[in-house]
Tab-separated table of all heavy atoms in Angstrom:
chain	number	residue	atom	x	y	z
A	134	LEU	N	0.823	-1.198	0.000
A	134	LEU	CA	0.000	0.000	0.000
A	134	LEU	C	0.865	1.258	0.000
A	134	LEU	O	1.917	1.307	0.634
A	134	LEU	CB	-0.898	0.014	1.233
A	134	LEU	CG	-1.954	-1.096	1.289
A	134	LEU	CD1	-2.581	-1.133	2.666
A	134	LEU	CD2	-3.018	-0.879	0.234
A	135	GLN	N	0.421	2.241	-0.725
A	135	GLN	CA	1.092	3.530	-0.661
A	135	GLN	C	0.892	4.127	0.732
A	135	GLN	O	-0.116	3.890	1.388
A	135	GLN	CB	0.519	4.472	-1.721
A	135	GLN	CG	0.702	3.980	-3.142
A	135	GLN	CD	2.164	3.913	-3.532
A	135	GLN	OE1	2.954	4.766	-3.159
A	135	GLN	NE2	2.520	2.872	-4.274
A	136	SER	N	1.861	4.899	1.189
A	136	SER	CA	1.763	5.449	2.540
A	136	SER	C	0.567	6.394	2.672
A	136	SER	O	0.011	6.543	3.748
A	136	SER	CB	3.050	6.190	2.910
A	136	SER	OG	3.283	7.246	2.005
A	137	ASP	N	0.183	7.038	1.547
A	137	ASP	CA	-0.978	7.919	1.647
A	137	ASP	C	-2.266	7.111	1.591
A	137	ASP	O	-3.183	7.354	2.339
A	137	ASP	CB	-0.951	8.988	0.555
A	137	ASP	CG	-0.698	8.420	-0.835
A	137	ASP	OD1	-0.530	7.188	-0.956
A	137	ASP	OD2	-0.690	9.197	-1.802
A	138	GLY	N	-2.364	6.105	0.716
A	138	GLY	CA	-3.549	5.265	0.631
A	138	GLY	C	-4.797	6.108	0.440
A	138	GLY	O	-4.780	7.149	-0.201
A	139	CYS	N	-5.909	5.631	1.001
A	139	CYS	CA	-7.136	6.425	0.995
A	139	CYS	C	-7.034	7.522	2.050
A	139	CYS	O	-6.327	7.380	3.051
A	139	CYS	CB	-8.339	5.539	1.288
A	139	CYS	SG	-8.997	4.685	-0.156
A	140	ALA	N	-7.775	8.572	1.819
A	140	ALA	CA	-7.830	9.637	2.818
A	140	ALA	C	-8.525	9.115	4.074
A	140	ALA	O	-9.370	8.219	4.006
A	140	ALA	CB	-8.581	10.841	2.262
A	141	PRO	N	-8.178	9.647	5.245
A	141	PRO	CA	-8.845	9.214	6.479
A	141	PRO	C	-10.348	9.432	6.414
A	141	PRO	O	-10.828	10.353	5.746
A	141	PRO	CB	-8.200	10.102	7.548
A	141	PRO	CG	-6.894	10.522	6.972
A	141	PRO	CD	-7.118	10.637	5.497
A	142	ALA	N	-11.082	8.578	7.114
A	142	ALA	CA	-12.533	8.716	7.184
A	142	ALA	C	-12.902	10.014	7.893
A	142	ALA	O	-12.327	10.353	8.925
A	142	ALA	CB	-13.133	7.524	7.921
A	143	GLU	N	-13.871	10.718	7.346
A	143	GLU	CA	-14.282	11.995	7.908
A	143	GLU	C	-15.761	12.065	8.259
A	143	GLU	O	-16.199	13.024	8.892
A	143	GLU	CB	-13.961	13.127	6.918
A	143	GLU	CG	-12.477	13.324	6.652
A	143	GLU	CD	-11.724	13.819	7.874
A	143	GLU	OE1	-12.372	14.337	8.808
A	143	GLU	OE2	-10.492	13.689	7.900
A	144	ALA	N	-16.546	11.077	7.864
A	144	ALA	CA	-17.994	11.145	8.094
A	144	ALA	C	-18.308	11.037	9.577
A	144	ALA	O	-17.574	10.414	10.351
A	144	ALA	CB	-18.694	10.034	7.323
A	145	THR	N	-19.400	11.628	9.954
A	145	THR	CA	-19.865	11.565	11.338
A	145	THR	C	-21.388	11.704	11.361
A	145	THR	O	-21.977	12.279	10.435
A	145	THR	CB	-19.224	12.667	12.204
A	145	THR	OG1	-19.630	12.530	13.565
A	145	THR	CG2	-19.609	14.037	11.698
A	146	ALA	N	-22.011	11.126	12.384
A	146	ALA	CA	-23.458	11.245	12.552
A	146	ALA	C	-23.775	11.070	14.026
A	146	ALA	O	-23.072	10.357	14.748
A	146	ALA	CB	-24.190	10.195	11.709
A	147	ASP	N	-24.842	11.696	14.475
A	147	ASP	CA	-25.278	11.593	15.867
A	147	ASP	C	-26.474	10.644	15.970
A	147	ASP	O	-27.488	10.829	15.282
A	147	ASP	CB	-25.697	12.956	16.408
A	147	ASP	CG	-24.505	13.835	16.755
A	147	ASP	OD1	-23.364	13.405	16.516
A	147	ASP	OD2	-24.731	14.963	17.242
A	148	LEU	N	-26.340	9.642	16.821
A	148	LEU	CA	-27.473	8.793	17.196
A	148	LEU	C	-28.153	9.500	18.358
A	148	LEU	O	-27.595	9.588	19.457
A	148	LEU	CB	-26.961	7.410	17.603
A	148	LEU	CG	-27.975	6.291	17.807
A	148	LEU	CD1	-28.713	5.962	16.516
A	148	LEU	CD2	-27.273	5.039	18.343
A	149	ASP	N	-29.371	10.022	18.137
A	149	ASP	CA	-29.921	10.971	19.106
A	149	ASP	C	-31.441	10.909	19.229
A	149	ASP	O	-32.067	11.885	19.641
A	149	ASP	CB	-29.497	12.396	18.738
A	149	ASP	CG	-29.892	12.787	17.316
A	149	ASP	OD1	-30.546	11.978	16.623
A	149	ASP	OD2	-29.555	13.919	16.893
A	150	VAL	N	-32.047	9.763	18.924
A	150	VAL	CA	-33.496	9.688	18.934
A	150	VAL	C	-34.065	9.609	20.346
A	150	VAL	O	-35.227	9.946	20.578
A	150	VAL	CB	-33.984	8.485	18.098
A	150	VAL	CG1	-33.711	7.165	18.815
A	150	VAL	CG2	-35.451	8.614	17.730
A	151	ASN	N	-33.256	9.158	21.307
A	151	ASN	CA	-33.755	9.044	22.680
A	151	ASN	C	-33.009	10.033	23.577
A	151	ASN	O	-32.670	11.131	23.126
A	151	ASN	CB	-33.673	7.602	23.177
A	151	ASN	CG	-32.263	7.028	23.107
A	151	ASN	OD1	-31.279	7.753	22.974
A	151	ASN	ND2	-32.167	5.712	23.198
A	152	ASN	N	-32.723	9.680	24.811
A	152	ASN	CA	-32.103	10.635	25.731
A	152	ASN	C	-30.580	10.514	25.765
A	152	ASN	O	-29.942	10.896	26.740
A	152	ASN	CB	-32.665	10.459	27.148
A	152	ASN	CG	-32.535	11.721	27.980
A	152	ASN	OD1	-32.502	12.833	27.442
A	152	ASN	ND2	-32.446	11.573	29.286
A	153	VAL	N	-30.007	9.948	24.696
A	153	VAL	CA	-28.559	9.858	24.527
A	153	VAL	C	-28.178	10.570	23.242
A	153	VAL	O	-28.855	10.425	22.219
A	153	VAL	CB	-28.093	8.387	24.445
A	153	VAL	CG1	-26.575	8.315	24.272
A	153	VAL	CG2	-28.539	7.595	25.661
A	154	ARG	N	-27.099	11.349	23.285
A	154	ARG	CA	-26.501	11.863	22.061
A	154	ARG	C	-25.153	11.176	21.898
A	154	ARG	O	-24.209	11.441	22.652
A	154	ARG	CB	-26.318	13.376	22.113
A	154	ARG	CG	-25.819	13.975	20.781
A	154	ARG	CD	-25.668	15.495	20.863
A	154	ARG	NE	-26.854	16.134	21.410
A	154	ARG	CZ	-27.964	16.375	20.717
A	154	ARG	NH1	-28.035	16.014	19.451
A	154	ARG	NH2	-28.997	16.968	21.295
A	155	ALA	N	-25.068	10.256	20.930
A	155	ALA	CA	-23.851	9.483	20.697
A	155	ALA	C	-23.273	9.877	19.351
A	155	ALA	O	-23.911	9.677	18.308
A	155	ALA	CB	-24.157	7.991	20.722
A	156	ARG	N	-22.069	10.440	19.368
A	156	ARG	CA	-21.436	10.858	18.109
A	156	ARG	C	-20.641	9.684	17.541
A	156	ARG	O	-19.752	9.121	18.202
A	156	ARG	CB	-20.526	12.060	18.349
A	156	ARG	CG	-19.917	12.630	17.071
A	156	ARG	CD	-19.781	14.133	17.178
A	156	ARG	NE	-21.079	14.776	17.357
A	156	ARG	CZ	-21.232	16.026	17.805
A	156	ARG	NH1	-20.172	16.751	18.118
A	156	ARG	NH2	-22.432	16.548	17.941
A	157	LEU	N	-20.961	9.314	16.307
A	157	LEU	CA	-20.394	8.127	15.676
A	157	LEU	C	-19.471	8.528	14.532
A	157	LEU	O	-19.690	9.541	13.853
A	157	LEU	CB	-21.517	7.235	15.150
A	157	LEU	CG	-22.676	6.946	16.116
A	157	LEU	CD1	-23.695	6.015	15.463
A	157	LEU	CD2	-22.171	6.365	17.421
A	158	TYR	N	-18.455	7.693	14.305
A	158	TYR	CA	-17.492	7.914	13.233
A	158	TYR	C	-17.304	6.619	12.445
A	158	TYR	O	-17.533	5.526	12.968
A	158	TYR	CB	-16.149	8.372	13.805
A	158	TYR	CG	-16.239	9.620	14.656
A	158	TYR	CD1	-16.298	9.532	16.048
A	158	TYR	CD2	-16.286	10.880	14.073
A	158	TYR	CE1	-16.397	10.674	16.831
A	158	TYR	CE2	-16.390	12.031	14.849
A	158	TYR	CZ	-16.437	11.922	16.228
A	158	TYR	OH	-16.541	13.046	17.008
A	159	ASN	N	-16.850	6.746	11.210
A	159	ASN	CA	-16.657	5.566	10.360
A	159	ASN	C	-15.185	5.206	10.217
A	159	ASN	O	-14.722	4.767	9.165
A	159	ASN	CB	-17.286	5.786	8.982
A	159	ASN	CG	-16.674	6.953	8.216
A	159	ASN	OD1	-16.106	7.870	8.812
A	159	ASN	ND2	-16.817	6.944	6.899
A	160	ASN	N	-14.427	5.377	11.315
A	160	ASN	CA	-12.991	5.084	11.299
A	160	ASN	C	-12.611	3.972	12.275
A	160	ASN	O	-11.432	3.732	12.509
A	160	ASN	CB	-12.192	6.344	11.626
A	160	ASN	CG	-12.563	6.936	12.988
A	160	ASN	OD1	-13.275	6.320	13.780
A	160	ASN	ND2	-12.084	8.138	13.266
A	161	GLY	N	-13.604	3.307	12.862
A	161	GLY	CA	-13.339	2.269	13.855
A	161	GLY	C	-13.505	2.744	15.276
A	161	GLY	O	-13.490	1.934	16.207
A	162	GLY	N	-13.645	4.057	15.463
A	162	GLY	CA	-13.837	4.622	16.788
A	162	GLY	C	-15.218	5.220	16.937
A	162	GLY	O	-15.908	5.494	15.958
A	163	LEU	N	-15.601	5.421	18.189
A	163	LEU	CA	-16.893	6.027	18.485
A	163	LEU	C	-16.709	7.106	19.554
A	163	LEU	O	-15.864	6.963	20.440
A	163	LEU	CB	-17.882	4.975	19.009
A	163	LEU	CG	-18.206	3.794	18.105
A	163	LEU	CD1	-19.044	2.768	18.867
A	163	LEU	CD2	-18.934	4.238	16.848
A	164	PHE	N	-17.498	8.158	19.429
A	164	PHE	CA	-17.701	9.180	20.465
A	164	PHE	C	-16.578	10.216	20.551
A	164	PHE	O	-16.796	11.290	21.100
A	164	PHE	CB	-17.919	8.550	21.846
A	164	PHE	CG	-18.785	7.326	21.841
A	164	PHE	CD1	-18.434	6.194	22.550
A	164	PHE	CD2	-19.964	7.306	21.104
A	164	PHE	CE1	-19.237	5.058	22.541
A	164	PHE	CE2	-20.778	6.177	21.076
A	164	PHE	CZ	-20.405	5.049	21.802
A	165	TRP	N	-15.393	9.938	20.032
A	165	TRP	CA	-14.271	10.879	20.118
A	165	TRP	C	-13.261	10.530	19.032
A	165	TRP	O	-13.008	9.361	18.760
A	165	TRP	CB	-13.592	10.784	21.477
A	165	TRP	CG	-12.358	11.626	21.639
A	165	TRP	CD1	-12.295	12.934	22.031
A	165	TRP	CD2	-10.999	11.228	21.432
A	165	TRP	NE1	-10.995	13.367	22.074
A	165	TRP	CE2	-10.173	12.332	21.711
A	165	TRP	CE3	-10.392	10.030	21.028
A	165	TRP	CZ2	-8.780	12.291	21.597
A	165	TRP	CZ3	-9.019	9.982	20.909
A	165	TRP	CH2	-8.221	11.107	21.201
A	166	LYS	N	-12.688	11.543	18.408
A	166	LYS	CA	-11.568	11.287	17.491
A	166	LYS	C	-10.574	12.445	17.486
A	166	LYS	O	-9.978	12.769	16.484
A	166	LYS	CB	-12.057	10.993	16.079
A	166	LYS	CG	-12.642	12.160	15.306
A	166	LYS	CD	-12.791	11.782	13.830
A	166	LYS	CE	-13.141	12.984	12.974
A	166	LYS	NZ	-13.189	12.628	11.541
A	167	GLY	N	-10.412	13.047	18.650
A	167	GLY	CA	-9.422	14.103	18.775
A	167	GLY	C	-10.006	15.447	19.163
A	167	GLY	O	-9.270	16.364	19.500
A	168	SER	N	-11.321	15.566	19.110
A	168	SER	CA	-11.975	16.797	19.537
A	168	SER	C	-12.802	16.476	20.777
A	168	SER	O	-12.496	15.533	21.502
A	168	SER	CB	-12.852	17.336	18.401
A	168	SER	OG	-13.776	16.349	17.977
A	169	SER	N	-13.837	17.228	21.028
A	169	SER	CA	-14.662	16.976	22.213
A	169	SER	C	-15.340	15.613	22.114
A	169	SER	O	-15.804	15.211	21.050
A	169	SER	CB	-15.719	18.069	22.353
A	169	SER	OG	-15.103	19.332	22.538
A	170	ASN	N	-15.394	14.915	23.243
A	170	ASN	CA	-16.100	13.640	23.267
A	170	ASN	C	-17.591	13.880	23.410
A	170	ASN	O	-18.030	14.811	24.084
A	170	ASN	CB	-15.589	12.752	24.403
A	170	ASN	CG	-15.695	13.405	25.764
A	170	ASN	OD1	-15.270	14.533	25.952
A	170	ASN	ND2	-16.257	12.683	26.720
A	171	VAL	N	-18.386	13.010	22.757
A	171	VAL	CA	-19.835	13.173	22.800
A	171	VAL	C	-20.490	11.811	22.981
A	171	VAL	O	-20.708	11.059	22.036
A	171	VAL	CB	-20.387	13.847	21.520
A	171	VAL	CG1	-21.898	13.976	21.611
A	171	VAL	CG2	-19.743	15.209	21.303
A	172	TYR	N	-20.744	11.431	24.212
A	172	TYR	CA	-21.726	10.401	24.564
A	172	TYR	C	-22.461	10.987	25.763
A	172	TYR	O	-22.194	10.653	26.917
A	172	TYR	CB	-21.080	9.057	24.896
A	172	TYR	CG	-22.108	7.936	24.952
A	172	TYR	CD1	-22.409	7.209	23.806
A	172	TYR	CD2	-22.792	7.639	26.125
A	172	TYR	CE1	-23.356	6.198	23.836
A	172	TYR	CE2	-23.742	6.631	26.163
A	172	TYR	CZ	-24.019	5.911	25.022
A	172	TYR	OH	-24.973	4.915	25.063
A	173	THR	N	-23.363	11.906	25.449
A	173	THR	CA	-23.981	12.756	26.446
A	173	THR	C	-25.305	12.160	26.923
A	173	THR	O	-26.179	11.860	26.116
A	173	THR	CB	-24.231	14.159	25.865
A	173	THR	OG1	-23.049	14.634	25.223
A	173	THR	CG2	-24.622	15.125	26.949
A	174	VAL	N	-25.404	11.969	28.241
A	174	VAL	CA	-26.624	11.435	28.860
A	174	VAL	C	-26.900	12.224	30.145
A	174	VAL	O	-26.055	12.238	31.027
A	174	VAL	CB	-26.474	9.941	29.215
A	174	VAL	CG1	-27.835	9.369	29.595
A	174	VAL	CG2	-25.855	9.145	28.087
A	175	PRO	N	-28.063	12.899	30.282
A	175	PRO	CA	-29.071	13.110	29.233
A	175	PRO	C	-28.515	13.970	28.101
A	175	PRO	O	-27.564	14.730	28.288
A	175	PRO	CB	-30.201	13.803	29.976
A	175	PRO	CG	-29.577	14.407	31.184
A	175	PRO	CD	-28.414	13.546	31.556
A	176	LYS	N	-29.117	13.856	26.934
A	176	LYS	CA	-28.467	14.378	25.727
A	176	LYS	C	-28.340	15.897	25.704
A	176	LYS	O	-27.488	16.417	24.975
A	176	LYS	CB	-29.193	13.896	24.477
A	176	LYS	CG	-30.586	14.418	24.255
A	176	LYS	CD	-31.148	13.824	22.959
A	176	LYS	CE	-32.548	14.284	22.673
A	176	LYS	NZ	-33.099	13.628	21.452
A	177	ASP	N	-29.124	16.601	26.478
A	177	ASP	CA	-29.004	18.055	26.534
A	177	ASP	C	-28.308	18.534	27.810
A	177	ASP	O	-28.290	19.733	28.106
A	177	ASP	CB	-30.388	18.696	26.433
A	177	ASP	CG	-31.037	18.438	25.081
A	177	ASP	OD1	-30.311	18.452	24.069
A	177	ASP	OD2	-32.265	18.218	25.039
A	178	GLY	N	-27.726	17.602	28.560
A	178	GLY	CA	-27.054	17.948	29.799
A	178	GLY	C	-25.565	18.188	29.607
A	178	GLY	O	-25.033	18.074	28.501
A	179	PRO	N	-24.835	18.494	30.692
A	179	PRO	CA	-23.407	18.820	30.594
A	179	PRO	C	-22.487	17.611	30.692
A	179	PRO	O	-21.292	17.731	30.421
A	179	PRO	CB	-23.197	19.741	31.799
A	179	PRO	CG	-24.168	19.215	32.821
A	179	PRO	CD	-25.382	18.757	32.045
């Protein structure tokens, strides 16, 4: 494989239909990837 290969995954979506806000990524990780973490319960709380 070339060292550059494909560009890193950048997509994100929030699972937020109930009282959880879970930020999801398509890079193998969930809730955090270097910025603020988001698995907020209750979803509008601190």
Side-chain angles (χ1 to χ4, degrees):
L134 294 169
Q135 299 295 322
S136 60
D137 49 359
C139 276
E143 296 293 342
T145 184
D147 283 3
L148 190 63
D149 56 3
V150 73
N151 57 16
N152 204 27
V153 180
R154 186 179 310 281
R156 185 145 299 163
L157 312 182
Y158 303 98
N159 61 336
N160 58 10
L163 301 172
F164 320 135
W165 175 87
K166 71 167 190 176
S168 55
S169 298
N170 57 310
V171 179
Y172 193 90
T173 311
V174 191
K176 67 180 179 183
D177 295 322

